[in-house]
Amino acid sequence: MEKTYVRAGWLIDGSGGPVQNDVLLELENGRFSSIRPAEENLQQDLARVTDLSHCTVFPPLVDSHIHLFMSSTTDRQTRERQLVADCEELEPAIARHLHYLFSHGVLAARDGGDRGGCAEAFSRSPRMHPEMVLRSAGRAYHRQGRYGGLIGRAVPADKSLVKTYLEDAKEGDLVKVVNSGLNSLHVFAKQTEPQFSQQELEELVEAAGQRGQKVMVHANGREPVRRAVAAGCHSIEHGFFMGEENIRMMAEKGTYWVPTVFTMKAFGLNLDANRTTADAKVIEKNVEHQLDQLRLARECGVRVALGTDAGSLGVLHGESMVEEMKLYKKAGYSLSQMFHAATVVGAEMLGIDTFSGIHEGGRATFLVSRGAPSQLPRKILYLEAIYRDGKPSDLYRKNPVKHVD
Ligand SMILES: [Zn+2]
């Protein structure tokens, strides 16, 4: 097959290293066959060079924590309906949310669960988005009487977590466990009790490992997070108020962390729509505290994968990637570092080898945004093109994003 070339004004390769200027990408058989400085190499094959010297090129985005069954809408009726609807009723919304994600260059995502396992069922159906990869947790496990009913199934009080899991014969590559409550919007840094013992979590991690499944754990607060990390779970979701010791233990054990900062901020932005007695000042302090933890996690070398909790109130699928990235910037992340968390680390956590960043020999699947890197992350909202295996995606070109919820 013949070689083609793309001249990129700027390249963010996803490794976390510095942005490169004026690069010539050589594409062959859907892969990058070489990546070189453009200036010295442009004498050859000029006719086959696509000139993107006014653009920035970067790897496909990965949203490591979403919920497809829920719209981010502030319309209370829609939200309440989605919490009780069956899979058939939810299907159009799930398809729409996938389209929003795709339109913002999110080519892979991890769904954190829903009550009916609808997102997981959809991902296996012929109606699944043809150009996206979805990993889904299906129905998350929570202890009967505790938080988690909206996104999963209860483990009865007299039954162990692993027994319930084994009886379910759960398929797929992920298991989700809810091991704490939600964060308080009234009392700063309020902790909740863990839902499961460390032994129960250990048993689950082992049983899941035998089926080749990874365990993602919703956990906020010191003890709920400590037990999950010590039990060897694969990732901590949210992790608000987990504290320095847990952050250091995660760095040591290689546990992934998905901090979902924007979802907390969005609660504050939508207080009226939420019509709760939530306290704006508490929410603001929660956000600040999480950013401090994120700063520390970066210093300690924790594998941070960017996730938005899209579907949560005011957290739009796709668009909220930009909001989450802006918060990483506030926590001291450089542009390259935030793209690293939003691309390569997420892909690695999800086990998607084909999205391992832009490097020689890798798949030529990448995003193009108009302008210099200084326009990012904002320009993710208006991508110039999505390339898949060396060619621009028609699906992207022909289906502009239009939010209806
Ligand atoms: Zn979630």
Side-chain angles (χ1 to χ4, degrees), residues 184 188-189 240-241 264 282-290:
S184 173
F188 174 67
F240 281 79
F241 310 113
M264 177 59 73
V282 169
I283 292 173
E284 209 180 298
K285 277 173 79 181
N286 288 349
V287 170
E288 288 305 322
H289 188 272
Q290 187 73 330

Side-chain angles (χ1 to χ4, degrees), residues 65-67 112 151 176 218 238 309:
H65 191 125
I66 61 163
H67 295 275
I151 54 168
K176 180 165 178 193
H218 162 117
H238 320 304
D309 219 352

Side-chain angles (χ1 to χ4, degrees), residues 131-259:
E131 300 196 0
M132 281 186 69
V133 181
L134 182 69
R135 301 272 193 258
S136 43
R139 299 195 296 168
Y141 294 97
H142 69 97
R143 180 58 83 187
Q144 193 170 25
R146 294 288 309 274
Y147 165 72
L150 302 178
I151 54 168
R153 57 153 301 174
V155 176
D158 56 355
K159 215 178 226 181
S160 78
L161 174 60
V162 75
K163 195 152 184 247
T164 310
Y165 160 77
L166 289 171
E167 281 173 8
D168 267 355
K170 197 197 166 300
E171 290 177 65
D173 19 43
L174 269 181
V175 183
K176 180 165 178 193
V177 178
V178 182
N179 196 38
S180 74
L182 290 171
N183 288 301
S184 173
L185 305 179
H186 311 278
V187 181
F188 174 67
K190 192 178 177 188
Q191 311 260 325
T192 57
E193 289 294 311
Q195 298 198 18
F196 298 101
S197 70
Q198 189 174 320
Q199 194 193 334
E200 276 183 294
L201 294 167
E202 277 166 12
E203 286 166 2
L204 178 77
V205 168
E206 204 196 321
Q210 282 167 9
R211 291 190 187 168
Q213 296 175 334
K214 291 167 180 164
V215 180
M216 64 189 282
V217 182
H218 162 117
N220 295 304
R222 283 172 205 278
E223 188 55 15
V225 171
R226 191 197 64 74
R227 287 186 191 178
V229 177
C233 76
H234 191 238
S235 70
I236 294 293
E237 311 300 309
H238 320 304
F240 281 79
F241 310 113
M242 63 177 157
E244 183 172 342
E245 268 176 50
N246 279 318
I247 290 172
R248 295 199 183 280
M249 179 159 62
M250 286 165 77
E252 218 170 89
K253 294 189 70 138
T255 317
Y256 289 93
W257 180 33
V258 187

Side-chain angles (χ1 to χ4, degrees), residues 90 225 229 292 358 399:
L90 290 171
V225 171
V229 177
D292 286 343
I358 296 177
N399 297 281

Side-chain angles (χ1 to χ4, degrees), residues 7 22 24 36-44:
R7 182 181 192 177
D22 201 18
L24 187 69
R36 289 167 289 174
E39 230 169 51
E40 307 125 53
N41 293 289
L42 264 177
Q43 57 277 36
Q44 47 174 324

